[in-house]
Amino acid sequence: MTTDLKNIVLTGFMGTGKTTVGKRLAKRLDYDFVDTDVLIEQRAGRSIPEIFEHGGEAVFRQLEAEIAQELALSERLVIATGGGMMVNPDNAAVLSQSGLVFCLVASPEEILSRLLRDTDHPRPLLAVPDPHERILALLRQREAVYGRFPQLVTTGKQPDEIVTELQRRLSGC
Ligand code: S3P
């Protein structure tokens, strides 16, 4: 595989399976795995909802941008990014240069049902009276950002099927 040493970066909306798929892909490739949200929480010493509550979204986005620059210097990482990471063009540019980016895609209904089940990781952007409407609005806003990367649909598929599909695509790179 000519992708050796390059990072594999997973983007896509919240709840599309980036962390689950990323961890399994890293294991199969014998790469290290990182989740940018976890790094941000470690650095801030606070959970993501607490960061949003204390400093607002701007503080969160600043930490996210610093982490993008740092991770781009690494090699052989599978990086699961927060769903808003690639909205910042500087983050998208630096991470795209550091490796291969894939975008995981799920239907809005699947996203909502997965996020409602994921009570350990509340998403501040969806803490609104109508999260379904918010998901649709954010997906519309981010359509062009996500659309720049090769897509993999995760709705109705098992994580291992997605990992196998990613490996198949990587072998063609
Ligand atoms: C966000 C996605 C979240 C997290 C934060 C903001 C977004 O990550 O970074 O709540 O802007 O889409 P996940 O995509 O891992 O849920």
Side-chain angles (χ1 to χ4, degrees):
M1 177 168 82
T2 52
T3 53
D4 205 28
L5 300 185
K6 285 190 177 173
N7 296 322
I8 314 292
V9 182
L10 300 181
T11 183
F13 202 77
M14 298 173 249
T16 52
K18 292 164 290 183
T19 301
T20 308
V21 168
K23 279 184 184 164
R24 293 185 193 205
L25 178 67
K27 213 171 185 176
R28 284 209 212 167
L29 297 176
D30 196 25
Y31 276 29
D32 285 326
F33 171 77
V34 290
D35 179 321
T36 59
D37 287 341
V38 172
L39 291 181
I40 290 169
E41 292 186 322
Q42 285 169 351
R43 185 155 304 182
R46 289 184 160 145
S47 68
I48 289 174
E50 285 167 347
I51 300 170
F52 271 72
E53 202 181 311
H54 290 270
E57 185 174 349
V59 168
F60 175 79
R61 297 298 173 198
Q62 179 56 39
L63 288 165
E64 198 169 50
E66 286 167 19
I67 282 178
Q69 298 293 328
E70 289 170 26
L71 290 178
L73 303 174
S74 306
E75 292 177 341
R76 294 176 69 89
L77 285 182
V78 175
I79 305 171
T81 61
M85 173 69 90
M86 299 306 210
V87 173
N88 176 334
D90 291 340
N91 299 347
V94 80
L95 288 172
S96 301
Q97 278 158 20
S98 91
L100 296 163
V101 185
F102 294 92
C103 178
L104 303 192
V105 178
S107 67
E109 294 67 33
E110 177 76 16
I111 288 170
L112 181 62
S113 96
R114 285 190 196 159
L115 294 176
L116 290 176
R117 273 179 277 145
D118 189 9
T119 47
D120 288 347
H121 300 103
R123 294 353 191 248
L125 292 181
L126 301 181
V128 293
D130 188 346
H132 185 248
E133 190 46 51
R134 191 78 215 274
I135 289 169
L136 294 176
L138 283 169
L139 281 170
R140 273 195 299 272
Q141 270 174 35
R142 295 179 179 178
E143 205 173 16
V145 168
Y146 294 142
R148 291 180 41 211
F149 303 107
Q151 316 260 311
L152 278 102
V153 175
T154 63
T155 307
K157 292 194 186 134
Q158 292 301 315
D160 280 324
E161 285 179 65
I162 320 285
V163 175
T164 301
E165 171 63 14
L166 273 167
Q167 281 191 294
R168 197 187 60 75
R169 295 211 198 170
L170 288 169
S171 66
C173 289

